[in-house]
Amino acid sequence: MAEAHQAVAFQFTVTPEGLGFHLSREAVRQLYLAGISSWKKRLVRAKNSFLTGVYPASPSSWMVVVMATAGSFYCQVDPSLGLIARIRHCLPESPLLSTEGRTVVSIGVFSTGVWLSAVLIFRQLLKLLLSYHGWMFEPHGKMSRSTRIWVALMKLLSVRKPLLYSFQTSLPKLPVPPVQATITRYLESVRPLMDDEKYGRMEALAKEFKEKTAPRLQKYLILKSWWTTNYVSDWWEEYIYLRGRSPLMVNSNYYAMDFLYVTPSHIQAARAGNAVHSMLLYRRKLDRGEIPPGGLRGRSWCHEVPMIPFLNMPMCPPPDTLLHLVDSKHLAVYHRGRFYKVWLYYGGQVLPPRDLQLQFQRILDDPSPPQPGEQHLAALTAGDRVPWAEARARFFSQGKNKVSLDTIERAAFFLTLDEEEHGYIEGKEGCMDAYAKSLLHGQCYDRWFDKSFTLVVYKNGKLGANAEHSWADAPIIGHLWEFMLATDKFQLGYTEDGNCKGQPNTALAPPQRLQWDLPEECCAAIEGSLRVARALAQDVDFCCFQFSAFGKGLIKRCRTSPDAFIQLSLQLAHFRDKGRFCLTYEASMTRLFREGRTETVRSCTAEAIAFVRSMGDPHRSRSERQKLFQQAAAKHQQLYRLAMTGAGIDRHLFCLYVVSRYLGVHSPFLNQVLSEPWRLSTSQTPQQQLKMFDMAQYPDHVSTGGGFGPVADDGYGVSYIIAGENLINFHISSKFSSPETDSKRFGSHISQAMLDIAQLFDVPSAQRA
């Protein structure tokens, strides 16, 4: 009854004596405070929109221009060359404005015009500067004169501290590469993977495409690039993610893990309270634009859905849609087969961690059983998309089911209070593999795979996340994740007994159970999706391990980037594992461009293959292998730079294919290109994007990183994080059903390959301190 009284401000009752009226003062007060909070957010957003729009100028610079113009004018110096007088003459007559007042208004109008003109000039200059990418291709430690000038101008224009979106509209558009360059680089990438006969056929297809089909498709693509902010992103989101009909679980969603060695609190509700509060603080910073614009801190941690299903995907049926919420004041929580709604605000303020802990503990202590069909309900989001869409339209379009589903889908995010215990336990084999599988698919019914992300908090206080891919690539979640972990541990903290700090407000209304009315047909659909999801989950083979022989500090002795070193190690390991080479995917970011997401680096190059073969050739000397390694590493870094600066090939080919489908043009070349499987899909997790604490001071607070499911049925998915000077964490996935793959075996090959390459350069081992 308490929550009912808090939720209703006015109550009317009809009695024989007349009309009864009851006013809940506390409820009215809460409504008033919530309204004040809402208006504050609107004002902050309006202010930030203005400041972002005039960056790098500021309101104070406008005042300087006005004061300077007025001072000059009253000193008998007219900086406007007569324009102020003309403006004053054009002002309408009004008894409210004296002659002096008309002059002041005219000066203000002229000064504002001058200031806005300067803003436009500076923003165009900023756009030109952001279009310069020559600095990326310069040798390490050297800087050309043009780059020095560029750095100086960027510092000059960035004197004022930028907000989150200050550079957004100044970023250049992603350019459409020339067809000739794309085809040439494509043929170069597949040449070492094909025999002469197969390559000859591909070369003929490419020539025919370039001469007959490509010019028409390219014209439409260039036209699209003129009227869209990014010619790739909208199609990539729609056709790779939203039109996909296969399960999101394993195939698309990815996961993030907790600290590797540290668990700040072993009390489940307390850890959840601090984690949720930290994420709400992050959201507040986003709303206020207080997070600085993202830099170029390395790699993209993400994978992509295989292209092969896309080839047979119909273009007409409506895709899934993304629900964008300006704000959400509640959380959806799952525990032991039951769903709850937890309010995140009280009196217009975010609930402190101790109050959140109280609410989550109330859920943990609730002995009530699940309603019929409720326990496995989330399996609908884990199975195929079509049955879920049909069940949604049939069983969740009205009544209490619609209300409860809206509560979940309009929640800030989804929280699972998991009954299992996971995490790293020294000496326990397979503990990290089970941890990874739990985060990737869980029980197939205890994660809401449609949500932007599901925060999972385990019984022992360990946590993790399962994130949906369509709305953002993993560096976005990684940024949030780093903020949450650092805030949880180093800012919010816990009491000595592991509870959140502060005193709980026991007057808070308890969490609200969501109500469902699930008929037998709906329950049958739920169980059908669960069977599909379980078959998919049981086929995932995971190996998650720590490589602690050395890290980035010692890799640099090889005179190459750590990423190139690891990528070449993966090529060597894959060749030893399967005895052949394959098309290799590495994700890179295109943040240099507006609305940029990812591009592909084709890491299996002719130079990489030559180096790998030399490692198995007893007639090759050590110096020859070193030279081949350096050539392969340089080639990899060059391809990475090309991908980041808009000269990649795979997104261009993808968009050409989409245009061909719209025009009804059949292209054997594009069909062949987009059907080629990525049997080795790799990505690097960015580390220390925020630098909220010193890793040297807290070496045990390294991140475990995250990972994803296998992209190809007979291939490997590999995610890695260079967690410190002496540690690299690997996440390897494959499928049990493939006789060609074994994640643990491949992990052993990776470790040995890294040691063998390090030995070429006399890089010693260094165990973790």
Side-chain angles (χ1 to χ4, degrees):
M1 291 299 293
E3 81 181 282
H5 283 297
Q6 288 189 14
V8 181
F10 306 98
Q11 290 182 346
F12 295 91
T13 57
V14 180
T15 65
E17 289 78 19
L19 184 66
F21 173 77
H22 173 73
L23 173 66
S24 172
R25 293 183 179 179
E26 177 61 20
V28 172
R29 177 176 175 273
Q30 295 303 318
L31 290 173
Y32 168 76
L33 292 175
I36 294 295
S37 176
S38 178
W39 275 104
K40 283 182 179 179
K41 287 183 180 180
R42 293 182 185 182
L43 291 175
V44 167
R45 290 183 185 127
K47 182 195 75 172
N48 288 346
S49 295
F50 173 76
L51 294 177
T52 297
V54 301
Y55 187 86
S58 64
S60 59
S61 65
W62 173 79
M63 286 296 299
V64 170
V65 173
V66 172
M67 297 295 291
T69 304
S72 300
F73 190 81
Y74 285 107
C75 290
Q76 306 302 316
V77 178
D78 185 2
S80 71
L81 302 178
L83 280 177
I84 292 177
R86 287 176 176 270
I87 295 172
R88 181 174 55 192
H89 178 73
C90 294
L91 288 176
E93 297 288 342
S94 173
L96 299 177
L97 279 179
S98 63
T99 303
E100 189 69 19
R102 291 165 65 85
T103 301
V104 171
V105 172
S106 301
I107 291 173
V109 172
F110 171 77
S111 301
T112 301
V114 170
W115 180 73
L116 289 175
S117 300
V119 167
L120 291 175
I121 292 172
F122 280 123
R123 289 188 70 82
Q124 287 301 314
L125 178 59
L126 186 60
K127 194 167 189 174
L128 288 174
L129 290 173
L130 291 174
S131 300
Y132 173 72
H133 302 143
W135 56 273
M136 291 194 65
F137 296 90
E138 294 183 353
H140 182 69
K142 296 182 180 179
M143 189 180 295
S144 65
R145 181 182 299 175
S146 58
T147 299
R148 292 179 187 276
I149 295 172
W150 177 78
V151 170
L153 289 174
M154 283 298 298
K155 288 183 177 179
L156 182 64
L157 288 178
S158 304
V159 170
R160 178 171 156 249
K161 184 180 178 180
L163 297 173
L164 176 60
Y165 296 110
S166 292
F167 294 102
Q168 187 72 1
T169 56
S170 296
L171 288 173
K173 290 185 176 183
L174 182 68
V176 181
V179 171
Q180 176 64 53
T182 295
I183 292 178
T184 299
R185 282 199 289 270
Y186 167 76
L187 291 175
E188 179 187 353
S189 72
V190 298
R191 181 63 187 96
L193 302 174
M194 296 180 176
D195 57 32
D196 292 342
E197 182 181 354
K198 189 174 182 181
Y199 179 74
R201 290 198 300 269
M202 178 56 71
E203 199 174 28
L205 289 175
K207 182 179 179 181
E208 180 186 18
F209 173 74
K210 180 180 65 175
E211 294 175 352
K212 297 181 179 180
T213 311
R216 183 186 176 196
L217 304 182
Q218 180 79 345
K219 288 178 182 177
Y220 280 97
L221 206 53
I222 291 174
L223 180 63
K224 181 177 188 284
S225 71
W226 288 349
W227 57 266
T228 57
T229 52
N230 189 299
Y231 81 94
V232 175
S233 293
D234 57 341
W235 282 349
W236 189 254
E237 178 183 286
E238 178 178 352
Y239 292 108
I240 298 302
Y241 297 118
L242 299 181
R243 284 189 183 270
R245 299 296 89 186
S246 61
L248 293 179
M249 187 195 77
V250 175
N251 294 324
S252 181
N253 288 21
Y254 52 90
Y255 66 85
M257 285 183 171
D258 200 355
F259 290 123
L260 179 58
Y261 302 115
V262 174
T263 305
S265 173
H266 292 282
I267 299 177
Q268 185 177 18
R271 192 77 200 281
N274 262 12
V276 170
H277 185 79
S278 300
M279 289 177 170
L280 295 176
L281 293 180
Y282 184 88
R283 187 175 71 173
R284 185 168 67 184
K285 283 182 171 290
L286 278 178
D287 289 340
R288 295 176 177 179
E290 294 174 352
I291 296 176
L296 294 174
R297 294 190 54 79
R299 318 302 181 186
S300 166
W301 160 34
C302 61
H303 73 295
E304 311 299 350
V305 181
M307 288 288 194
I308 299 173
F310 167 73
L311 290 176
N312 300 317
M313 191 182 300
M315 305 287 281
C316 297
D320 295 338
T321 56
L322 292 176
L323 176 63
H324 295 273
L325 300 174
V326 176
D327 196 9
S328 181
K329 298 184 182 299
H330 71 274
L331 190 69
V333 183
Y334 178 91
H335 177 246
R336 288 198 313 172
R338 302 152 314 166
F339 292 85
Y340 297 83
K341 178 180 182 179
V342 176
W343 289 104
L344 299 172
Y345 290 79
Y346 184 79
Q349 300 296 317
V350 176
L351 285 182
R354 192 64 183 88
D355 287 352
L356 289 168
Q357 178 184 346
L358 170 66
Q359 298 293 64
F360 299 144
Q361 191 62 51
R362 286 172 169 174
I363 293 175
L364 293 172
D365 295 339
D366 183 0
S368 62
Q371 300 165 64
E374 182 182 19
Q375 182 175 11
H376 295 162
L377 174 61
L380 288 170
T381 69
D384 290 324
R385 308 298 291 162
V386 172
W388 171 212
E390 293 174 347
R392 179 193 181 93
R394 185 177 176 188
F395 305 113
F396 297 89
S397 59
Q398 59 184 357
K400 61 176 67 175
N401 289 348
K402 184 180 188 304
V403 173
S404 295
L405 181 61
D406 284 347
T407 299
I408 294 175
E409 294 186 334
R410 294 183 175 275
F413 53 92
F414 194 83
L415 169 66
T416 294
L417 298 172
D418 205 296
E419 286 291 284
E420 296 182 347
E421 295 186 2
H422 284 289
Y424 174 72
I425 302 175
E426 191 169 1
K428 183 178 180 180
E429 186 176 357
C431 61
M432 295 301 291
D433 306 345
Y435 186 15
K437 282 178 67 67
S438 175
L439 289 174
L440 185 65
H441 54 68
Q443 300 294 327
C444 302
Y445 56 79
D446 50 0
R447 320 278 186 255
W448 198 271
F449 294 100
D450 282 353
K451 285 297 290 182
S452 54
F453 65 93
T454 296
L455 174 65
V456 182
V457 183
Y458 293 102
K459 199 171 185 178
N460 60 345
K462 235 15 179 182
L463 50 76
N466 179 287
E468 202 275 319
H469 210 324
S470 64
W471 68 280
D473 299 311
I476 307 304
I477 285 289
H479 200 276
L480 162 66
W481 201 246
E482 284 190 20
F483 179 91
M484 182 273 293
L485 290 177
T487 303
D488 167 32
K489 171 64 178 177
F490 296 102
Q491 295 185 15
L492 298 178
Y494 299 87
T495 61
E496 291 184 0
D497 56 359
N499 290 300
C500 297
K501 295 178 179 179
Q503 293 297 320
N505 178 10
T506 55
L508 286 173
Q512 176 186 347
R513 276 288 302 272
L514 301 187
Q515 300 300 311
W516 307 96
D517 181 13
L518 306 175
E520 291 185 5
E521 296 91 336
C522 183
C523 293
I526 293 171
E527 294 304 316
S529 292
L530 182 58
R531 285 192 296 272
V532 171
R534 278 177 171 165
L536 182 60
Q538 290 167 1
D539 196 23
V540 176
D541 177 20
F542 242 104
C543 177
C544 185
F545 71 96
Q546 296 78 48
F547 180 85
S548 56
F550 54 83
K552 67 178 179 181
L554 297 180
I555 287 178
K556 291 178 180 177
R557 294 189 186 181
C558 301
R559 299 186 302 278
T560 189
S561 75
D563 184 69
F565 182 97
I566 295 174
Q567 285 292 324
L568 290 173
S569 299
L570 293 176
Q571 290 300 318
L572 178 57
H574 187 273
F575 183 73
R576 289 173 173 175
D577 184 79
K578 288 191 174 182
R580 63 179 184 273
F581 299 96
C582 70
L583 200 61
T584 304
Y585 182 106
E586 183 186 7
S588 77
M589 296 298 295
T590 52
R591 285 186 179 183
L592 294 171
F593 304 96
R594 190 169 180 184
E595 296 183 11
R597 291 194 63 163
T598 61
E599 179 56 273
T600 304
V601 180
R602 294 179 167 233
S603 302
C604 187
T605 62
E607 291 81 359
I609 290 176
F611 164 70
V612 169
R613 291 194 183 281
S614 75
M615 292 294 288
D617 187 350
H619 301 293
R620 293 281 191 171
S621 66
R622 179 178 177 182
S623 60
E624 287 178 316
R625 291 171 179 170
Q626 288 178 344
K627 183 178 180 181
L628 289 171
F629 174 86
Q630 295 293 353
Q631 291 174 350
K635 179 66 174 181
H636 178 267
Q637 290 176 276
Q638 176 70 5
L639 290 177
Y640 210 104
R641 295 183 183 111
L642 289 172
M644 291 185 70
T645 54
I649 64 175
D650 285 280
R651 300 301 178 269
H652 185 205
L653 291 169
F654 161 77
C655 288
L656 288 171
Y657 179 80
V658 174
V659 173
S660 73
R661 290 291 299 271
Y662 275 121
L663 298 178
V665 175
H666 176 69
S667 172
F669 171 74
L670 291 176
N671 287 343
Q672 177 66 27
V673 170
L674 270 70
S675 64
E676 294 169 341
W678 302 96
R679 291 192 171 90
L680 182 55
S681 181
T682 71
S683 61
Q684 180 186 155
T685 305
Q687 169 77 342
Q688 286 282 290
Q689 297 184 84
L690 297 175
K691 293 187 179 296
M692 292 180 66
F693 65 94
D694 187 0
M695 284 290 297
Q697 186 178 355
Y698 300 97
D700 281 345
H701 288 70
V702 294
S703 171
T704 318
F708 51 87
V711 170
D713 290 339
D714 56 351
Y716 292 107
V718 181
S719 175
Y720 52 93
I721 179 172
I722 303 173
E725 293 297 316
N726 301 309
L727 180 65
I728 303 172
N729 290 319
F730 285 92
H731 303 252
I732 305 170
S733 64
S734 62
K735 291 191 175 183
F736 285 115
S737 57
S738 173
E740 299 185 21
T741 59
D742 184 308
S743 294
K744 187 174 182 180
R745 182 186 71 206
F746 190 45
S748 299
H749 284 310
I750 292 174
S751 296
Q752 189 59 52
M754 293 186 66
L755 291 171
D756 290 346
I757 295 176
Q759 191 175 8
L760 285 178
F761 297 88
D762 293 325
V763 175
S765 298
Q767 297 297 325
R768 185 178 66 86

